[in-house]
Amino acid sequence: MRGEPITVDAVRAVTEIVADAETGSVLVFCASGQRAAAWWAARMIEGDGVGLERALERARRAGVSHAPTIAALKARAGEVEARKEVDRLAEGLTGTLMQRLGSAIEGGGIEHAARVCARSASTITAELGARQGVVVRRTSLRWRNPENQPTADERPWLIAAEAALDAGRAIEPLYEVVREKDGSAVLRHLRPIVFPGGLCSQCHGSKGEIPAEVRTFLAERYPDDRAINFTPGELRGAIRVTVPLE
């Protein structure tokens, strides 16, 4: 690590390099020790769950004193907390939607559940984000609700994720720091939804798996429905969560 004072982008880049290294020791070096010590403190926060203040104390004992270096460390800590937040929100949305769907099936069967999903799934998703002051949405290459069509930045990830599944590879969720048009930094998270089959096939499976009354409702409500003929293990879509970092 050499050159200008360390930035949060540099901390992130070194973390990725070390994570990709083969098993063994990795030497992280800089001339003054400032930047290497800052990365070490960031690694404590991210990998070991050490709090920011404790990590800063250790970094200062190791010689970190430059304000830009400390600022970069704090920014990385903010990213780590944002990751926890997007994970919590994505998992919470999945749990809430599945609970609502299960209750609807129990209360009125598959057709009733399809109607409940059509009425409330998008509202539940949007309200979750609004309560937390973030953006939460669902998206898919094969959408049912036109509101869930992928954006220009979601589509490439979905295509790559679909190809990975087709090749038998696991899909890693996306955590990406990007700059919005106004210059503000956000953490963008995409979490894959893999089609499980089972009950889900009665709304998203083949024609033979979807009951006639459900097919009739879906044709009326979503004339351009593309979210059918899924088989277990295929990519159904993704949950996207966008959290501000500044």
Side-chain angles (χ1 to χ4, degrees):
M1 301 172 66
R2 56 187 298 180
E4 298 297 321
I6 195 170
T7 64
V8 65
D9 291 335
V11 171
R12 190 184 310 119
V14 173
T15 298
E16 293 172 357
I17 291 170
V18 173
D20 289 341
E22 296 181 359
T23 302
S25 299
V26 178
L27 175 64
V28 179
F29 170 83
C30 73
S32 67
Q34 291 267 338
R35 290 156 292 175
W39 176 82
W40 167 66
R43 184 68 186 86
M44 284 191 288
I45 293 170
E46 184 168 0
D48 303 329
V50 175
L52 173 60
E53 293 307 317
R54 188 178 177 191
L56 279 172
E57 179 186 350
R58 292 184 179 181
R60 289 187 174 106
R61 286 207 303 264
V64 172
S65 60
H66 293 168
T69 301
I70 293 173
L73 179 56
K74 289 180 177 180
R76 184 57 179 174
E79 289 182 11
V80 172
E81 289 303 311
R83 281 195 176 208
K84 294 177 183 178
E85 178 72 0
V86 297
D87 284 342
R88 183 184 68 79
L89 290 169
E91 290 165 6
L93 175 61
T94 300
T96 298
L97 291 177
M98 293 306 295
Q99 183 181 37
R100 183 68 63 89
L101 186 62
S103 297
I105 292 173
E106 185 176 343
I110 293 296
E111 182 187 2
H112 174 64
R115 292 180 181 275
V116 169
C117 185
R119 286 196 308 268
S120 61
S122 293
T123 301
I124 290 171
T125 302
E127 288 179 348
L128 174 65
R131 285 197 304 271
Q132 303 297 324
V134 303
V135 176
V136 182
R137 65 181 245 104
R138 295 175 302 145
T139 186
S140 177
L141 293 171
R142 293 158 61 184
W143 62 86
R144 171 158 289 164
N145 188 332
E147 294 178 358
N148 297 334
Q149 294 182 53
T151 60
D153 59 342
E154 292 167 348
R155 182 177 293 276
W157 185 87
L158 289 167
I159 291 172
E162 189 173 66
L165 273 183
D166 290 345
R169 301 192 305 272
I171 309 173
E172 292 296 329
L174 174 72
Y175 301 89
E176 181 180 38
V177 177
V178 297
R179 291 280 173 182
E180 300 283 53
K181 291 181 179 179
D182 63 2
S184 61
V186 299
L187 178 67
R188 182 165 65 100
H189 173 54
L190 282 165
R191 172 171 298 213
I193 303 171
V194 179
F195 188 68
L199 281 175
C200 295
S201 296
Q202 295 188 55
C203 276
H204 297 285
S206 65
K207 182 177 180 180
E209 293 173 306
I210 302 174
E213 63 273 19
V214 176
R215 293 201 307 272
T216 299
F217 165 69
L218 293 175
E220 294 173 351
R221 181 66 181 256
Y222 303 109
D224 191 30
D225 183 16
R226 305 184 184 190
I228 56 174
N229 293 319
F230 281 97
T231 57
E234 284 190 297
L235 182 70
R236 172 65 186 89
I239 295 173
R240 174 175 178 165
V241 185
T242 306
V243 175
L245 292 175
E246 299 175 347

